[in-house]
Amino acid sequence: MLRMLHGKAGDERWNDQIQEKITPSEKEEICMKDAAWPVPFASGLEYNSPAHGTWNIVHTGMLLPGSHQIYVCAPNCNRGVVLTAKEMNASDRFSFVELKEEDLFDGQMEELVIDGVSDILNRLADKPSAVFLFTVCVHHFMGCDIPYIYDTLRKKFPEQIFIEAYMDPIMQKEGLTPDQKLRAALYDPLPFVKKNPGQINVIGGDFPLREESEIKQMVKKAGFDVKDLTECRTWEEYLSMAEGSINIATYPPACYGAEKLSKRLGMKYLYLPMSFSYEEIDRELQMLAKLVPGAQMPDVKSLREACDRMLEETGELLKDTPVVLDATFTPRILGLARLLSEHGIRVKEIFVDSFSPEERKDYLWLSEHEPDLVLCKTVHPKMRIYHRSSDEKILALGQKAAYFTRTPYFVNMVEGGGLFGFDGILELCRRMQEAFVTRKDTKDLVIRKGLGCESCLCV
C-alpha cells in the first residue's frame, strides 16, 4: 500500500510569525504569507530547467591550476561531467574510469579504481601537480575501502597530490553537500609554512571579489596583499596562499572549507556573508577593521546615501515594471527582495525551492510586508510547462527567473557574482538599469554551463 511521505501527512514546521502549524506546499506556487520555514515546498519528483549558469563540481575543481580530475562512475553519471569538461574546453584536464554492472559484484572495486587511475596517469604526457579523484554513490553503498585506494595511489605516484573528492548526490540533502566538500578539498594541498602577516586570502568563491568592494579596498589600503584561488594562474601561485595570515569567506558554501583550512594552518578566520542589509554590512566592515591591523572603516554614511540614491534612480527608471528573482542569483535572495521592496521597486515573484538559514529575519519581514509576493518552486514537475509570456515588460534577476518568464531583459549573474557590501548594491543597480534597456538572447545564454567559464557553444 502506498503511503504519503510528505505534505500534510509528513513534516510539519512551526511558523513563529503567525503562531500556527503549517506544512510545506505541494503546489508549484504559493504566497509569501503561506510559506513554511525553511522549506516552503514539499519534496517529490523534481524537474531540472535548462538554465545552467550555476557552477557544478567540474567547474569548481578546474579553479585549481595544475590539477586533473578523474571520475569513477557509471556511464549515465559520467555524461554530465564529461559534457561539462568538453563545453568549457578543458577535456585535457579530465578523465574517467567507467563502472559496469559486473564491477559491483566481483569484489574487485578497489583494484579497479587503482588500476584505472594508474593507467590514466601513466598515459598523461604532462603529469598534473594534483589529482582530484571523485568517488561516487555506489562506493558508499558497497562499503568500498576508499582510504586503501588513496594510500596505494599515493605510494605509486609520490609526485602527485591526491585530493579526496566526491560526486555523491545521495548526500545532497543531509550533512555536507558534495559542493561544500569540494570547496574544502580545494585547499587541502596547502602546506603549513611560515605566515606572511601582510597577506589575506579570500576563500571558496567561484568569482573574485570586485576590486571596488569594501573588503579589498580596506585591506589593500592597509598594505595587505589579497590572494584568491579564482585569480591564481599557476600551481606556485596557488601554493603561496598557504602563507596567508587571515582567511575571509563571503560565499556560504565556502564556510566549512575556510574554517577547516584556518584551523589546520593556524590562520585567523572571518565570515563576511554577502548581504543586502545596510546594518549587517556595517557590522561586517567593523569586524574586518577590528581584525586587520591598519584597516580603516569607509564613510558608511556616504555609502548608504549613495545606495539610497542609486536605488531611487533605478526605481524611477523601472517605474511599475515587475521584477522577478531567482535563488541562483545570490545566496541572499530574500534579503535582495526586501531591499528592493523597501525602496519601492515592485518585486512580483521569487523562484526558490528553500530558504537559507541566514535569511530568517528577511523571511519574517517579507511575510508581514509583502504577504502576496509569489514564490515558485523551480524543481516542481509543472515548471516544465510554466513558461509564459506577458503583455507587460518584466525585469529578471537571474537566469531561471528569465527562463521561466521568457523575458529578454535580465541581469545575467549567478552565485553573487563577486559582489559585496555597499559597492555590490551600487553595482547591482547599475546592472539592473543596463538590463532594463538592453535585450539579451535568453535562450542562448541560459543553456551555457558555468557562467564566466569558457564555453565552446556557438554564440
Side-chain angles (χ1 to χ4, degrees):
M1 182 178 72
L2 296 177
R3 181 168 63 90
M4 184 181 292
L5 297 177
H6 57 271
K8 294 182 179 179
D11 182 33
E12 292 186 333
R13 303 179 186 277
W14 183 261
N15 185 313
D16 295 326
Q17 175 79 350
I18 57 177
Q19 296 292 298
E20 65 179 18
K21 286 185 178 180
I22 55 178
T23 59
S25 172
E26 298 194 39
K27 298 179 181 180
E28 74 277 14
E29 283 187 4
I30 56 172
C31 290
M32 191 70 212
K33 62 185 177 183
D34 300 319
W37 172 270
V39 182
F41 299 101
S43 61
L45 184 65
E46 295 187 355
Y47 160 75
N48 185 20
S49 84
H52 293 310
T54 52
W55 286 35
N56 62 33
I57 54 178
V58 178
H59 300 109
T60 301
M62 292 294 182
L63 284 174
L64 185 59
S67 65
H68 193 92
Q69 299 184 36
I70 301 177
Y71 288 73
V72 185
C73 52
N76 61 317
C77 298
N78 263 324
R79 181 180 181 275
V81 289
V82 168
L83 287 174
T84 297
K86 179 64 176 177
E87 288 167 3
M88 64 184 301
N89 289 319
S91 295
D92 59 327
R93 298 177 60 198
F94 181 96
S95 302
F96 63 90
V97 177
E98 182 177 299
L99 297 182
K100 297 181 180 179
E101 186 173 357
E102 54 266 28
D103 297 324
L104 307 182
F105 308 108
D106 62 8
Q108 302 296 313
M109 179 58 72
E110 289 83 1
E111 286 70 21
L112 172 67
V113 176
I114 293 168
D115 292 345
V117 172
S118 299
D119 183 59
I120 290 169
L121 293 179
N122 286 330
R123 290 171 180 265
L124 291 177
D126 297 322
K127 298 297 187 286
S129 299
V131 177
F132 286 101
L133 176 55
F134 285 84
T135 51
V136 296
C137 307
V138 295
H139 296 106
H140 294 291
F141 295 144
M142 296 175 63
C144 188
D145 192 345
I146 294 178
Y148 167 74
I149 291 173
Y150 279 101
D151 287 343
T152 304
L153 288 171
R154 284 167 179 149
K155 290 177 182 177
K156 290 186 67 174
F157 300 94
E159 294 185 0
Q160 275 68 53
I161 294 176
F162 286 87
I163 302 174
E164 296 188 31
Y166 301 90
M167 186 173 67
D168 50 356
I170 59 169
M171 304 298 291
Q172 189 71 42
K173 296 182 180 179
E174 183 176 338
L176 294 172
T177 65
D179 180 57
Q180 287 175 297
K181 292 182 210 175
L182 181 60
R183 292 181 191 278
L186 280 169
Y187 303 94
D188 284 348
L190 293 179
F192 186 88
V193 296
K194 183 178 179 180
K195 297 295 175 281
N196 176 358
Q199 178 180 314
I200 288 177
N201 298 325
V202 178
I203 300 294
D206 291 328
F207 303 93
L209 292 178
R210 276 170 47 85
E211 289 297 320
E212 296 82 1
S213 69
E214 288 83 26
I215 290 178
K216 282 195 172 180
Q217 288 293 307
M218 287 174 64
V219 299
K220 287 189 174 182
K221 287 180 180 179
F224 283 75
D225 291 329
V226 179
K227 296 283 186 177
D228 189 329
L229 178 57
T230 63
E231 298 175 305
C232 292
R233 296 295 175 262
T234 66
W235 176 253
E236 291 70 26
E237 191 175 357
Y238 159 75
L239 288 178
S240 70
M241 294 186 71
E243 301 172 9
S245 58
I246 299 173
N247 291 325
I248 297 174
T250 64
Y251 189 48
C255 289
Y256 167 72
E259 189 169 4
K260 176 185 174 184
L261 171 67
S262 301
K263 288 180 179 179
R264 181 171 67 86
L265 298 187
M267 300 165 164
K268 295 180 181 178
Y269 165 62
L270 191 59
Y271 176 45
L272 304 177
M274 303 172 182
S275 176
F276 296 97
S277 162
Y278 291 177
E279 291 73 21
E280 185 174 9
I281 296 171
D282 192 352
R283 288 195 300 272
E284 291 177 351
L285 298 182
Q286 290 182 35
M287 292 168 59
L288 181 64
K290 185 177 180 180
L291 181 64
V292 177
Q296 300 294 320
M297 282 288 291
D299 186 346
V300 173
K301 182 175 182 295
S302 296
L303 289 171
R304 287 188 180 208
E305 292 173 350
C307 288
D308 283 338
R309 289 194 299 271
M310 185 64 89
L311 285 161
E312 181 181 358
E313 179 183 300
T314 303
E316 290 175 353
L317 175 65
L318 270 56
K319 299 188 186 307
D320 199 36
T321 302
V323 177
V324 295
L325 323 175
D326 81 66
T328 68
F329 187 75
T330 174
R332 291 289 189 90
I333 198 64
L334 297 185
L336 174 56
R338 176 178 177 175
L339 175 73
L340 298 179
S341 297
E342 286 179 325
H343 287 81
I345 296 174
R346 179 188 170 197
V347 179
K348 182 180 180 182
E349 292 173 295
I350 304 178
F351 293 87
V352 62
D353 301 313
S354 63
F355 302 132
S356 165
E358 297 179 356
E359 297 215 87
R360 176 69 170 172
K361 290 183 180 179
D362 297 317
Y363 159 80
L364 294 174
W365 188 93
L366 290 169
S367 297
E368 179 181 355
H369 296 88
E370 298 291 341
D372 297 322
L373 173 62
V374 176
L375 305 177
C376 302
K377 183 180 181 182
T378 70
V379 296
H380 195 285
K382 287 187 179 180
M383 296 304 285
R384 72 194 189 280
I385 55 174
Y386 186 86
H387 324 302
R388 61 189 183 191
S389 56
S390 174
D391 293 334
E392 60 180 344
K393 187 175 182 179
I394 294 175
L395 176 64
L397 306 186
Q399 292 190 345
K400 286 190 177 181
Y403 172 74
F404 286 126
T405 56
R406 284 185 174 177
T407 179
Y409 302 99
F410 73 101
V411 179
N412 191 21
M413 188 179 86
V414 297
E415 299 162 1
L419 304 188
F420 178 86
F422 297 112
D423 170 72
I425 294 173
L426 294 171
E427 176 62 17
L428 174 60
C429 288
R430 286 189 282 268
R431 295 187 189 186
M432 289 176 64
Q433 293 179 21
E434 180 182 3
F436 183 72
V437 297
T438 307
R439 294 177 64 93
K440 293 184 177 70
D441 188 341
T442 305
K443 184 177 180 181
D444 173 68
L445 291 175
V446 302
I447 64 172
R448 299 167 182 255
K449 284 186 178 180
L451 181 63
C453 298
E454 184 178 352
S455 175
C456 67
L457 299 180
C458 296
V459 178

